[in-house]
Amino acid sequence: MNKNTTYKESSTTSNFIKNIIEEDIRTNKHNGRIHTRFPPEPNGYLHIGHAKAICLTFGLAEEYKGLCNLRFDDTNPTKEDVEYVESIKEDIHWLGFDWGDRLYYASDYFDILYEYALKLIKDGKAYVCDLSPDEIREYRGTLTKPGKNSPYRSRTVEENLKLFEKMKNGEFDNGACVLRAKIDMTSPNMNMRDPIMYRIIHAEHHRTGDKWCIYPSYDFTHGQCDSIEKITHSLCDLGFEGHRPLYNWFIENLEIFPSRQIEFARLNLSYTVLSKRKLRELVEGNYVSGWDDPRMPTLSGLRRRGYTPESIKDFCERIGMAKAESLVDIALLEHCLREDLNKHAPRVMAVLHPLKIIIDNYPEGKIEELDAVNNPEDSSMGTHKVPFSREIFIEQNDFMENPPKKFWRLSPGKEVRLRYAYFIKCVKVMKDNDGNVVELHCTYDAKTKGGNAPDGRKVKATLHWVSSKHAIDAEVRLYDRLFTVENPLAEQDDFKNYLNPKSLEVLTSCKLEPSLTNAKVGIHYQFERLGYFCMESKDSSNKKLVFNRTVTLRDQWEKIQKAQKQKK
RNA sequence: UGGGGUGUGGUCUAAUGGUAAGACAACAGACUCUGGAUCUGUCUAUCGGGGUUCAACUCCCUGCACCCCAGCCA
């Protein structure tokens, strides 16, 4: 069996990057070695768009028995912070990937980069330019007009060497001059018009402290770091397509290991934004509670919301990998989540909008312990007990005094099943002075214990419930999509105008079945008939239980209702 | 109007000259002690126009549309 066949068997869907890799393996490029890297800048939190890149780079390494490095791209001390380094590491681990002993920083290579710069200067391929930022922009030309050479372009090697030395030694102020590559000011590719290699920034770096006051630009850093680490396939987003000629130029002129840059389309997700800048705007403007607000598409937000790493990885696999820009339906993410949670989440009963029921013919003071299945998808998860008594809560919307067509739940005179308990029939509706239903009186059929009638009669609906005397109180936070429109950034005005005002609804008088006393952060529950929920990791306490709704269950009834409304 | 990219059902992705496939969504039905899950079925696609070929999503020509590039950000 050849290698090719092996890989085809282990891979799921193919994509253009895997095709390239398999061709490289076939032709024995780099002796068949595959080495990728994930290169975040530590200036913000990772989001699900990064998860796509993480799954790609780490996933490819796993699939082709290669390696993937984690390398922080920390070339701009004014924008980066250690806080972000830690969160990024945590998020990658949470997703289930590991970089082993290959944790690197671009700043690890500042000395080598400096030597590289010296080499280009000595080869007459780089020069110190004293033009001001404005002048540089002016000399660069425009998209349709070629640029013109800087008057400093023809400085001698010796002069450049001396000036660059002075730059390094801190003899100039910020912005006084820069080191530029001498390429071609008339290139139709703006990136090749003598790009900046080094700029002066008198600032403390989170790793190198005050050792440097000149810092290499992205272009003069990234490819060389890839090369130093012998990265074979350097994957980045489409935004860097135009930088590839420059990436290659530095590698060729420095005569170093030829890493290959390949670009793919970044992820866009409907009803949210995936841009660090925009997310930061939401955080700093207090539109959300922080980077890890459960409504945020950040990995920390999704984690707190109750998303599982498995569901996110599955999603990243299913969206595929291509160069066409696209907007993925968030429904796919939710599908992956439900699929995972359905298989693994234990079922419990909770009433979010309680309506009290008194079962008139059930003995006062009597308590029964009923068996409830933990997960119908997985019998090995066993059962647990739920207490039943004369007074219970059901969901307010499980009762309607004047039910429309297809409403199968409780209404006056109608019989329904209480999950795992009995059939009950509504005999009386109690209202307050305003006509609101405040309490129901029902009767139960003792022969239907466990939920089946010996005479074989059927009921159309099964309701979840909680015994009022045993219920535990909790706050439940219901989340909905962050924005009201599919693509907030495509709107004419500010994307923040499309924030969903109902993205968070807090319910304070919810009733949970008593087994939830033992709930823990990190366990995902299904509240039957409602959705998947998890304990709030920051705000929940013994005094005040707080749960987050991760995602609702699919709801046919909601669809029917919408259809009925539209008919009217 | 310089350069670099991208166009496949409503959405995302396959097919690398040989039956246009899968997933999500939608719709219909079956089943169900969750109106969940599961199962079955249905709908809808190669940007346009030429050409090469027995055969084109694929190759050629030509239009069109959309995206990216003029930071001392990455």
Side-chain angles (χ1 to χ4, degrees), chain A residues 162-182:
Chain A
K162 199 169 70 191
L163 288 168
F164 189 47
E165 173 86 17
K166 286 187 171 186
M167 278 172 67
K168 188 192 77 164
N169 292 338
E171 295 180 34
F172 302 122
D173 291 338
N174 285 352
C177 52
V178 290
L179 184 70
R180 303 175 72 176
K182 194 189 284 188

Side-chain angles (χ1 to χ4, degrees), chain A residues 3 14 21 134 147 216 268 312 335 350 531 556 566:
Chain A
K3 284 179 181 176
S14 79
I21 288 180
D134 281 347
N268 295 297
I312 292 172
H335 168 82
Q556 290 295 321
Q566 277 182 356

Side-chain angles (χ1 to χ4, degrees), chain A residues 47-49 266-275 278-279 282 288 293-298 302 305 307 315 326-331 333-334 480-491 495-496 498-500 503:
Chain A
H47 55 66
I48 189 156
R266 56 183 299 159
L267 172 67
N268 295 297
L269 238 202
S270 61
Y271 298 101
T272 190
V273 293
L274 295 182
S275 130
K278 297 287 191 298
L279 293 175
L282 297 179
V288 294
D293 185 298
R295 293 166 293 182
M296 290 282 272
T298 51
L302 293 168
R305 171 84 165 255
Y307 273 75
F315 171 76
S326 61
L327 180 63
V328 177
D329 191 343
I330 198 167
L333 213 211
E334 294 175 342
D480 200 353
R481 35 194 57 161
L482 229 201
F483 290 90
T484 55
V485 294
E486 268 200 333
N487 188 358
L489 299 182
E491 298 295 332
F495 75 106
K496 297 194 295 302
Y498 298 88
L499 248 3
N500 179 5
S503 61

Side-chain angles (χ1 to χ4, degrees), chain A residues 2-250:
Chain A
N2 64 35
K3 284 179 181 176
N4 217 0
T5 327
T6 312
Y7 295 124
K8 284 242 167 75
E9 281 170 0
S10 62
S11 69
T12 47
T13 57
S14 79
N15 63 52
F16 77 102
I17 298 177
K18 289 186 188 182
N19 292 345
I20 291 170
I21 288 180
E22 283 170 22
E23 175 67 9
D24 287 346
I25 289 171
R26 200 183 61 75
T27 59
N28 206 34
K29 191 176 181 182
H30 307 307
N31 298 315
R33 187 174 60 85
I34 302 300
H35 202 151
T36 58
R37 106 269 89 119
F38 176 64
E41 183 190 13
N43 69 343
Y45 282 68
L46 259 26
H47 55 66
I48 189 156
H50 295 108
K52 176 181 178 182
I54 292 168
C55 290
L56 205 223
T57 49
F58 282 93
L60 248 19
E62 278 179 8
E63 185 171 347
Y64 294 100
K65 313 244 181 316
L67 297 169
C68 180
N69 297 354
L70 171 59
R71 183 173 70 233
F72 287 98
D73 218 331
D74 55 351
T75 57
N76 188 343
T78 64
K79 297 201 171 175
E80 293 142 11
D81 197 285
V82 277
E83 172 198 356
Y84 300 119
V85 169
E86 291 314 311
S87 79
I88 288 169
K89 289 199 277 191
E90 182 187 357
D91 288 344
I92 297 172
H93 273 149
W94 177 68
L95 276 180
F97 294 106
D98 189 61
W99 50 87
D101 57 359
R102 297 174 317 282
L103 168 62
Y104 302 119
Y105 295 80
S107 55
D108 294 342
Y109 308 121
F110 281 173
D111 287 301
I112 304 176
L113 259 12
Y114 183 78
E115 291 302 319
Y116 284 166
L118 253 24
K119 172 178 164 57
L120 290 184
I121 293 173
K122 286 173 186 161
D123 290 347
K125 292 171 180 169
Y127 62 98
V128 173
C129 181
D130 297 353
L131 253 25
S132 70
D134 281 347
E135 288 168 327
I136 286 185
R137 192 180 328 115
E138 198 185 315
Y139 275 69
R140 188 152 35 216
T142 68
L143 296 178
T144 49
K145 261 187 291 180
K148 55 186 182 190
N149 288 348
S150 161
Y152 305 100
R153 202 175 198 257
S154 50
R155 289 216 252 232
T156 63
V157 169
E158 291 65 35
E159 195 177 2
N160 283 319
L161 247 19
K162 199 169 70 191
L163 288 168
F164 189 47
E165 173 86 17
K166 286 187 171 186
M167 278 172 67
K168 188 192 77 164
N169 292 338
E171 295 180 34
F172 302 122
D173 291 338
N174 285 352
C177 52
V178 290
L179 184 70
R180 303 175 72 176
K182 194 189 284 188
I183 305 181
D184 179 6
M185 288 307 289
T186 68
S187 171
N189 182 344
M190 300 291 286
N191 296 303
M192 301 299 271
R193 319 242 262 229
D194 289 10
I196 286 160
M197 295 164 57
Y198 268 93
R199 69 280 213 215
I200 300 169
I201 304 175
H202 290 274
E204 181 106 347
H205 186 279
H206 71 108
R207 301 218 8 125
T208 60
D210 59 3
K211 176 174 177 185
W212 299 91
C213 63
I214 56 171
Y215 291 92
S217 64
Y218 167 86
D219 283 314
F220 193 65
T221 304
H222 205 96
Q224 290 88 314
C225 292
D226 287 341
S227 180
I228 291 165
E229 294 176 11
K230 301 282 192 288
I231 299 302
T232 56
H233 302 264
S234 177
L235 311 173
C236 62
D237 78 69
L238 256 27
F240 297 98
E241 234 163 358
H243 293 248
R244 187 171 2 110
L246 180 54
Y247 181 102
N248 292 335
W249 190 92
F250 281 130

Side-chain angles (χ1 to χ4, degrees), chain A residues 97 156 170 203 264-265 284 295 306 320 323 352 361 396 426 555 562:
Chain A
F97 294 106
T156 63
F264 60 90
E284 290 176 352
R295 293 166 293 182
K323 295 189 76 164
L352 269 29
N361 60 340
Q396 280 169 22
C426 175
D555 190 346
K562 272 184 192 163

Side-chain angles (χ1 to χ4, degrees), chain A residues 349 359 362 367-373 384-390 392-394 415-425 443-454 457 459 461-467 528:
Chain A
M349 292 195 283
I359 302 167
Y362 192 87
I367 294 164
E368 294 185 85
E369 294 284 329
L370 305 172
D371 289 310
V373 172
H384 70 281
K385 300 281 187 190
V386 281
F388 183 79
S389 66
R390 188 168 188 265
I392 61 168
F393 293 111
I394 66 162
E415 190 172 51
V416 298
R417 172 169 38 232
L418 293 177
R419 181 103 158 129
Y420 302 124
Y422 295 97
F423 286 10
I424 57 166
K425 192 180 284 185
T443 57
Y444 86 114
D445 179 351
K447 291 196 280 296
T448 58
K449 181 168 182 183
N452 288 301
R457 74 180 191 276
V459 288
T462 300
L463 309 187
H464 63 278
W465 53 273
V466 172
S467 166
E528 290 214 34

